[in-house]
Amino acid sequence: MKIGELAEAAQCTVETVRYYEKAGLLPKSDRSGNNYRVYGQRHLDRLRFVRNCRALDMSQEEVHALLRLMDKPASDCDSVNLLLDEHISHVDARIEELQKLKGQLTGLRKKCRTRRQVKECGILHGLSAMRPKGKKLASSHLG
């Protein structure tokens, strides 16, 4: 199948296919006589796998690691379990950060419960008065 057919079958764009190919997440395609890329079922299976991992917010590094493990089908899956456990920990940390963010936003929203002029807006004054609380580290395992 051609790249457009692969993209359609995997429900993504041609640009996504090219990106994953360039990132090494998809194997190189064969070329036809007229130099078109030719993809097979293994490309479609791999593309679907990558897209499913990305839909679960896995980083490219995590996907690469899973693909390397898939390429060794006789190995045990302890490494897969470990990787998924680490990813779950990242998700837990992100949920905690998002709950704190929601608390901050809710607090700001409470500063402006009545109709006012913008110059008296409690939200805008609150945003102006906020001070950073130390250096913010990258909140996501995605960087």
Side-chain angles (χ1 to χ4, degrees):
M1 72 185 92
K2 293 181 183 173
I3 193 168
E5 295 167 321
L6 175 66
E8 185 177 330
Q11 297 179 334
C12 66
T13 65
V14 168
E15 291 78 17
T16 299
V17 174
R18 287 187 181 128
Y19 177 79
Y20 287 152
E21 234 180 353
K22 186 176 180 180
L25 295 169
L26 286 178
K28 296 285 182 198
S29 61
D30 295 327
R31 296 283 181 162
S32 65
N34 55 6
N35 208 28
Y36 286 130
R37 294 176 176 158
V38 179
Y39 299 90
Q41 187 63 44
R42 72 184 180 111
H43 294 96
L44 179 58
D45 293 343
R46 190 90 158 205
L47 181 56
R48 285 180 175 156
F49 179 84
V50 170
R51 288 186 37 79
N52 290 338
C53 290
R54 296 295 290 147
L56 294 172
D57 203 31
M58 291 183 184
S59 68
Q60 280 193 25
E61 292 77 21
E62 290 170 321
V63 178
H64 274 291
L66 290 173
L67 290 171
R68 282 190 299 273
L69 292 165
M70 279 180 59
D71 290 338
K72 300 175 187 173
S75 341
D76 65 53
C77 65
D78 288 343
S79 298
V80 176
N81 292 334
L82 180 60
L83 188 143
L84 196 64
D85 289 343
E86 288 176 5
H87 186 66
I88 291 168
S89 293
H90 296 145
V91 170
D92 286 339
R94 185 67 180 137
I95 289 170
E96 187 175 318
E97 291 171 355
L98 288 171
Q99 288 173 335
K100 288 178 185 176
L101 174 61
K102 182 180 179 184
Q104 287 179 304
L105 292 169
T106 301
L108 278 171
R109 182 62 183 97
K110 288 178 181 177
K111 291 181 178 280
C112 197
R113 291 186 178 263
T114 60
R115 189 173 176 169
R116 304 176 187 184
Q117 292 182 339
V118 170
K119 66 181 178 182
E120 300 167 335
C121 179
I123 295 171
L124 296 178
H125 288 288
L127 286 168
S128 297
M130 287 176 64
R131 298 290 176 250
K133 297 178 181 174
K135 185 177 178 182
K136 177 79 171 142
L137 300 175
S139 63
S140 170
H141 69 289
L142 301 176

